[in-house]
Amino acid sequence: MKLIFWGLLLVFLDFSLTLKEFSIDLLPDIASYLLLFIGAGRMQDESRCFSRMRPVAIVLALFDFVMFVFGPIYAGTWTQPLPSLLISLITTILYLYMLWQLVRGIQDIETRSLYPLGAQELRTTFFVILGLTIISLFAANILALLSPLFLLLLIVAIFVVLVLFLVLVWRAAKGYEMLCFGIGHTDSTDDYSLGGED
């Protein structure tokens, strides 16, 4: 599960919801989505929700690759309001769906094992992220004349809740590691070398 955390961390560090104009990242998020794909694959025996994360991660990785390679060529088209809005909506919906499947997967593990992984806190935090995302979409495209202070507070709130979500995923990953160790189960396919020895 730690691979999933590292994938999310890399995406969050480079994630921006741009609706007014479309921007191309200098460093693509392909590696982040591949980490999510591999991590979810190593967890798919625990819950079908992790299996549902994998095709979404591949789609987002492919999309990011296409935008990285061909983005500069079609930048004039993709920076127009409608294409930019559609691209942002599609990628945001896919990413939120992937986060929801992660939350559901952790819930499944917690329910089956009766071991606390913070699933309820993750679920609550996800819905806060969902609500703030909807507000940000509405504010950026419809309420463009809102006070800059309100927009600043919205950005800060999104940042804080995303950091909280990351912290909760990390705790769940550590809890899962302890759960596996405690019941004598070793997941030989789950490589924790990226996180180091704790």
Side-chain angles (χ1 to χ4, degrees):
M1 194 185 295
K2 284 186 177 179
L3 283 180
I4 295 177
F5 167 81
W6 291 117
L8 288 177
L9 177 62
L10 292 176
V11 174
F12 282 164
L13 288 177
D14 199 38
F15 180 74
S16 62
L17 186 61
T18 305
L19 300 174
K20 294 284 183 186
E21 58 183 25
F22 189 78
S23 60
I24 306 298
D25 295 328
L26 295 177
L27 295 176
D29 293 327
I30 298 173
S32 308
Y33 295 126
L34 290 180
L35 279 177
L36 288 167
F37 176 80
I38 296 170
R42 294 176 177 178
M43 294 295 298
Q44 62 186 348
D45 289 340
E46 299 287 355
S47 171
R48 288 183 299 177
C49 295
F50 292 108
S51 298
R52 298 186 188 114
M53 291 176 61
R54 305 189 79 208
V56 179
I58 287 297
V59 169
L60 288 172
L62 290 174
F63 176 78
D64 191 72
F65 175 76
V66 169
M67 296 303 297
F68 181 72
V69 174
F70 299 104
I73 300 175
Y74 297 102
T77 300
W78 287 339
T79 53
Q80 298 302 312
L82 183 57
S84 177
L85 176 60
L86 290 177
I87 289 170
S88 296
L89 283 176
I90 292 171
T91 55
T92 300
I93 289 171
L94 288 174
Y95 197 77
L96 288 172
Y97 174 80
M98 191 166 56
L99 291 185
W100 175 241
Q101 293 305 320
L102 172 60
V103 172
R104 291 288 306 278
I106 293 173
Q107 281 184 313
D108 288 346
I109 298 173
E110 186 177 87
T111 300
R112 187 180 64 253
S113 65
L114 300 179
Y115 190 89
L117 296 176
Q120 184 57 48
E121 291 85 353
L122 266 171
R123 182 185 177 95
T124 301
T125 306
F126 170 81
F127 282 117
V128 174
I129 292 174
L130 179 61
L132 289 175
T133 301
I134 293 172
I135 293 172
S136 66
L137 288 169
F138 186 71
N141 291 278
I142 300 176
L143 302 180
L145 299 178
L146 283 177
S147 165
L149 177 60
F150 174 81
L151 295 177
L152 176 62
L153 292 175
L154 181 59
I155 292 171
V156 171
I158 292 173
F159 175 80
V160 170
V161 75
L162 289 178
V163 170
L164 176 59
F165 189 85
L166 274 176
V167 169
L168 292 173
V169 171
W170 174 256
R171 289 180 180 176
K174 293 291 290 182
Y176 176 75
E177 187 178 51
M178 294 175 63
L179 172 64
C180 292
F181 178 78
I183 63 176
H185 170 68
T186 56
D187 186 357
S188 60
T189 62
D190 204 344
D191 182 6
Y192 294 113
S193 60
L194 287 177
E197 294 296 328
D198 297 305

